[in-house]
Amino acid sequence: QVQLVESGGGLVQTGGSLRLSCAASGSIFSINAMGWYRQAPGKERELVATITNGGMTNYADSVKGRFTISRDNVKNTVYLQMNSLQPEDTAVYYCRLDVKVRVTGPVFRYWGQGTQVTVSS
């Protein structure tokens, strides 16, 4: 069993910054890709950023140049540094980790519980 705990959300003014964290614990052999998604009220969940186990990153166009995803493979943690936040960034943010629990076997996808980010204008 793998548990994900997200933290770092909150209320911030336009132009402010927040740093989200998502820490995984439990039966983990390795973690492949990690990512952050968000879902605003009345909208579908959308990709924000991903990072491979080799460190390659991918960002949604709407956050490029403002958000930075990173990972700590020792701590099994993924981060999302969010700068220059705008009201349209308001959403519940979810982390997603692709985890191998043993050397051989499938990769399982786990989601965090979500953390609210609210940007006031």
Side-chain angles (χ1 to χ4, degrees):
Q1 189 71 12
V2 175
Q3 296 81 39
L4 272 58
V5 177
E6 295 186 33
S7 61
L11 173 65
V12 65
Q13 291 184 334
T14 296
S17 299
L18 286 173
R19 188 192 193 208
L20 306 183
S21 300
C22 174
S25 62
S27 301
I28 298 171
F29 173 74
S30 66
I31 302 177
N32 294 351
M34 296 175 159
W36 288 96
Y37 291 71
R38 67 187 182 187
Q39 187 167 18
K43 295 187 177 181
E44 294 185 354
R45 189 174 298 188
E46 63 176 1
L47 170 73
V48 175
T50 60
I51 184 168
T52 68
N53 54 5
M56 292 185 63
T57 59
N58 179 58
Y59 296 93
D61 288 342
S62 59
V63 307
K64 283 181 181 177
R66 301 187 298 123
F67 291 10
T68 302
I69 189 171
S70 60
R71 61 190 286 168
D72 184 327
N73 292 328
V74 174
K75 296 181 178 180
N76 291 329
T77 300
V78 61
Y79 304 96
L80 185 68
Q81 177 66 44
M82 304 185 294
N83 298 328
S84 301
L85 283 161
Q86 303 297 315
E88 53 265 35
D89 295 316
T90 296
V92 178
Y93 284 70
Y94 299 90
C95 61
R96 186 214 83 201
L97 275 59
D98 295 338
V99 179
K100 293 191 72 173
V101 298
R102 52 184 180 272
V103 176
T104 58
V107 175
F108 295 95
R109 177 159 293 179
Y110 293 91
W111 291 87
Q113 80 278 12
T115 186
Q116 177 70 45
V117 171
T118 303
V119 185
S120 63
S121 57

